[in-house]
Amino acid sequence: MGDGLDFWSCYSQGRQVANVLCIHCGRNLPKNCSTKDHVPSKFLLSRPFPDNLATIRICSECNSGTSLDEEYFAAFLGMMLTSGEGEELHPNEPAIDSNFALQNVFEGALGIERSGGLVKCYIEPDLNRLHRVIEKNARGHWHLADRRRTQFLTTNVICCALESQPDEVWEKVMPPASLWSVIQKSRYRFHLELSEATIVRSVISDYLYTETHLMALGCAP
Ligand SMILES: [Zn+2]
């Protein structure tokens, strides 16, 4: 079901079944026109995946619409978790399932600084692509926490490397470790701050900190 015709064909066949409101595009569609989406996206985790990985139903267009961004995200993460040749690898690097062809896109823009035996890599990623992946996961987390929340306005997305700030800064910014939900140790944890303007935080591969600010626009009837 990749194009509009398929969607309407599916829609007419599925009139009698329960509807699903896609939390990403806001379309209301029959359940048999929707697809399961893992929260968080499986590419952010390592095999074997957790048994109880949560899923939501979204439209197939939104599900497949971020796949190229997810490839880009995985390649970026793979790059940033990999040290230079012959140097010590980041402990999470071997498990990253990244797109090596896409990594070539980054290599031309890669800057390397060597200092005291350490290698630091710098890259200017396409933040819009990273943000789309982060936002998709954040919406999923909030929807899972409160199924009535089906429509969101994203007001801000932030991501940065943990190593970009000293521990003292993170201690002020981040909630205590005991309040985070660990989906997979050293790979993915998240925190929901449910307030007037919800904040969804995640830490990916003990490397990337993300923050998504969301406002609810509507609830499911
Ligand atoms: Zn959708």
Side-chain angles (χ1 to χ4, degrees), residues 22-27 29 58-63:
C22 175
I23 62 166
H24 299 298
C25 65
R27 270 197 312 181
L29 65 165
I58 62 174
C59 77
S60 59
E61 285 82 353
C62 287
N63 206 348

Side-chain angles (χ1 to χ4, degrees), residues 34-51:
S34 66
T35 57
K36 268 190 189 174
D37 189 40
H38 291 91
V39 182
S41 303
K42 285 169 92 172
F43 85 92
L44 295 170
L45 307 171
S46 302
R47 292 184 173 82
F49 299 120
D51 292 335

Side-chain angles (χ1 to χ4, degrees), residues 2-218:
D3 57 33
L5 184 64
D6 285 343
F7 171 77
W8 289 112
S9 163
C10 179
Y11 186 87
S12 64
Q13 291 165 14
R15 277 180 185 281
Q16 305 306 317
V17 300
N19 279 0
V20 167
L21 189 62
C22 175
I23 62 166
H24 299 298
C25 65
R27 270 197 312 181
N28 206 351
L29 65 165
K31 189 175 180 184
N32 63 332
C33 295
S34 66
T35 57
K36 268 190 189 174
D37 189 40
H38 291 91
V39 182
S41 303
K42 285 169 92 172
F43 85 92
L44 295 170
L45 307 171
S46 302
R47 292 184 173 82
F49 299 120
D51 292 335
N52 55 349
L53 195 56
T55 60
I56 59 174
R57 297 202 75 91
I58 62 174
C59 77
S60 59
E61 285 82 353
C62 287
N63 206 348
S64 60
T66 52
S67 58
L68 291 178
D69 291 330
E70 290 181 347
E71 282 183 12
Y72 181 92
F73 197 113
F76 168 71
L77 204 55
M79 287 286 291
M80 301 317 291
L81 296 179
T82 308
S83 299
E85 193 176 346
E87 303 289 342
E88 189 178 344
L89 296 175
H90 186 285
N92 282 340
E93 190 277 334
I96 281 288
D97 183 16
S98 55
N99 180 327
F100 292 103
L102 192 52
Q103 285 191 10
N104 290 333
V105 172
F106 291 113
E107 283 176 0
L110 184 66
I112 297 177
E113 181 185 294
R114 295 173 187 273
S115 171
L118 292 174
V119 177
K120 284 191 174 180
C121 302
Y122 298 94
I123 202 165
E124 290 293 332
D126 183 338
L127 284 177
N128 287 331
R129 301 189 76 174
L130 301 185
H131 286 183
R132 281 196 288 270
V133 173
I134 292 165
E135 181 186 353
K136 181 173 182 244
N137 281 284
R139 286 168 173 253
H141 284 309
W142 193 11
H143 180 58
L144 283 166
D146 185 348
R147 292 276 185 177
R148 296 169 305 153
R149 302 297 180 189
T150 52
Q151 291 179 281
F152 311 100
L153 174 67
T154 303
T155 56
N156 200 14
V157 181
I158 298 165
C159 69
C160 64
L162 286 176
E163 64 194 20
S164 68
Q165 303 291 335
D167 289 347
E168 307 86 81
V169 171
W170 291 121
E171 282 165 15
K172 290 177 189 163
V173 171
M174 286 202 203
S178 60
L179 298 180
W180 288 67
S181 300
V182 179
I183 300 293
Q184 194 172 49
K185 192 172 181 298
S186 297
R187 181 62 71 199
Y188 192 97
R189 61 184 186 273
F190 74 97
H191 175 270
L192 270 177
E193 185 174 318
L194 296 169
S195 58
E196 212 167 294
T198 289
I199 301 174
V200 184
R201 297 180 174 87
S202 70
V203 173
I204 299 167
S205 293
D206 284 341
Y207 169 77
L208 194 69
Y209 171 78
T210 83
E211 209 176 280
T212 307
H213 297 234
L214 297 163
M215 286 176 61
L217 294 178

